[in-house]
Amino acid sequence: MTYIKKGIKMKKNQVKVQEQSSLQTVPSSADWGIEISKDDLLMPKILMMQKMSELVEEQKAKPGELVDSLTEEVLCAQGESLEIIPFRSETIYKEMRAGEFHAVIPANEKLPLEEMIDGVKVERDLIIQVFVLIPVPGLDDIPYVISFKRTSRKAGQKIVTKFWRHQMAGLPSCAVSWKLSVKKVAGDKGAYYVYDTTLSRKSTQEEIAKAFMFNQSIISGKRKVDHSDEKPVSNNVAF
C-alpha cells in the first residue's frame, strides 16, 4: 500500500520511519524540568454508584458502575467485575457533625455510631478501607482504595479474613487477586447496590513486588487518600 503526499508516492514503511523520527524529537518528561513531589499524590477511591450518586445525577455514570474518584472514569460496568489485588487494610470511622463531613478517625477504640457532643449531632460510619493494586495497564501505576461499609462490610471482611490466613501461612497479604463486583439488593426504601468479592487467582511475583512497593509508600506517609467524595451520612441507602 502507498500514500500520496505532495505528488510523491511514499511506501508505508517510509511513512513509519518518518513518524518514528518525529516521535524521537518529542521532549521527555525530564526535559521539561517538572518535579513531582510524591507527597502531593492522592490515592483515588473506587466509588460504587448509587441512584442518588452525584455522578449519576450528572449523567456521567450509571447506578452499579465502579468509578475512579479522581478522574471520574468508569472502571467497571454494572454486571461485570474488576480484578483487584488487595495488599493492606485499616478500619476507620467517617465522622459527620451536623450533617457535614468532619474527620476520618482510626478505629483504635469503639465509638458510638450516633451521639450528641456539645449540642451537635455526631454520626459515624465504621468502614473497612482496603488498599488494592488494579492489575490493568494504565491503572497499575498507583494504589486504589475501596471503602467497605454498612451492608458492604461483609465483602471487605472476606478480604481481611484472607489476609489473616495468609499471615498464618507465611504468605504475603497480596498473594491472590479478587473479583470486585456489585449486586442489587432490595431495601425498605428502595433497591440499592452492595459490593461483592470473590477469589480469582494467584498473584504473580511482579504483582507482589509492586504491591509491596505501594505498601511501603503508604507506611512512609507519602500517599494520601482522596476524600473528596465524602458526603453527609444518608439513611436512605444502606450500602
Side-chain angles (χ1 to χ4, degrees), residues 20-78:
Q20 291 172 355
S21 177
S22 298
L23 289 173
Q24 290 174 357
T25 64
V26 176
S28 67
S29 58
D31 294 329
W32 286 95
I34 299 174
E35 295 185 5
I36 301 175
S37 172
K38 292 183 178 180
D39 294 336
D40 294 330
L41 297 179
L42 284 176
M43 288 181 286
K45 284 184 180 179
I46 298 176
L47 302 180
M48 176 172 52
M49 295 292 99
Q50 303 287 350
K51 183 179 179 180
M52 301 303 292
S53 296
E54 184 175 328
L55 293 179
V56 173
E57 292 182 340
E58 294 175 353
Q59 298 185 343
K60 294 180 180 179
K62 299 176 182 178
E65 290 182 334
L66 301 181
V67 175
D68 183 312
S69 68
L70 289 176
T71 66
E72 299 182 355
E73 173 188 1
V74 175
L75 302 173
C76 183
Q78 196 278 322

Side-chain angles (χ1 to χ4, degrees), residues 147-162:
S147 294
F148 295 98
K149 57 186 177 181
R150 306 186 199 178
T151 51
S152 283
R153 271 179 56 81
K154 182 178 179 180
Q157 288 172 327
K158 288 163 65 176
I159 293 175
V160 174
T161 301
K162 195 64 174 176

Side-chain angles (χ1 to χ4, degrees), residues 75-233:
L75 302 173
C76 183
Q78 196 278 322
E80 299 181 359
S81 62
L82 178 68
E83 186 175 22
I84 58 172
I85 300 177
F87 60 86
R88 183 182 183 85
S89 69
E90 61 184 19
T91 303
I92 60 172
Y93 285 105
K94 182 182 77 171
E95 184 174 286
M96 312 293 290
R97 297 199 176 193
E100 297 293 331
F101 174 67
H102 178 67
V104 170
I105 305 170
N108 297 327
E109 59 183 80
K110 190 173 182 178
L111 297 174
L113 297 182
E114 289 189 15
E115 65 176 326
M116 297 294 293
I117 298 179
D118 297 329
V120 177
K121 185 177 182 180
V122 176
E123 299 171 276
R124 300 184 182 95
D125 260 338
L126 185 61
I127 300 171
I128 298 174
Q129 195 162 253
V130 177
F131 300 82
V132 305
L133 160 69
I134 301 179
V136 176
L139 298 176
D140 60 351
D141 56 350
I142 197 165
Y144 279 76
V145 183
I146 310 170
S147 294
F148 295 98
K149 57 186 177 181
R150 306 186 199 178
T151 51
S152 283
R153 271 179 56 81
K154 182 178 179 180
Q157 288 172 327
K158 288 163 65 176
I159 293 175
V160 174
T161 301
K162 195 64 174 176
F163 281 173
W164 173 258
R165 288 180 170 175
H166 283 162
Q167 183 177 342
M168 293 297 99
L171 298 172
S173 58
C174 56
V176 295
S177 76
W178 296 71
K179 294 292 186 181
L180 176 69
S181 60
V182 304
K183 56 184 179 182
K184 195 173 185 178
V185 298
D188 295 337
K189 298 183 180 181
Y192 57 95
Y193 291 92
V194 299
Y195 280 124
D196 192 21
T197 49
T198 55
L199 282 170
S200 179
R201 61 173 175 83
K202 290 184 178 180
S203 302
T204 67
Q205 289 301 312
E206 181 181 0
E207 291 166 343
I208 291 173
K210 182 169 288 189
F212 179 79
M213 179 186 67
F214 286 165
N215 188 59
Q216 294 303 105
S217 68
I218 293 169
I219 293 174
S220 68
K222 292 184 177 181
R223 291 287 189 276
K224 303 295 186 296
V225 179
D226 173 34
H227 289 297
S228 61
D229 65 300
E230 302 299 353
K231 302 295 180 185
V233 174

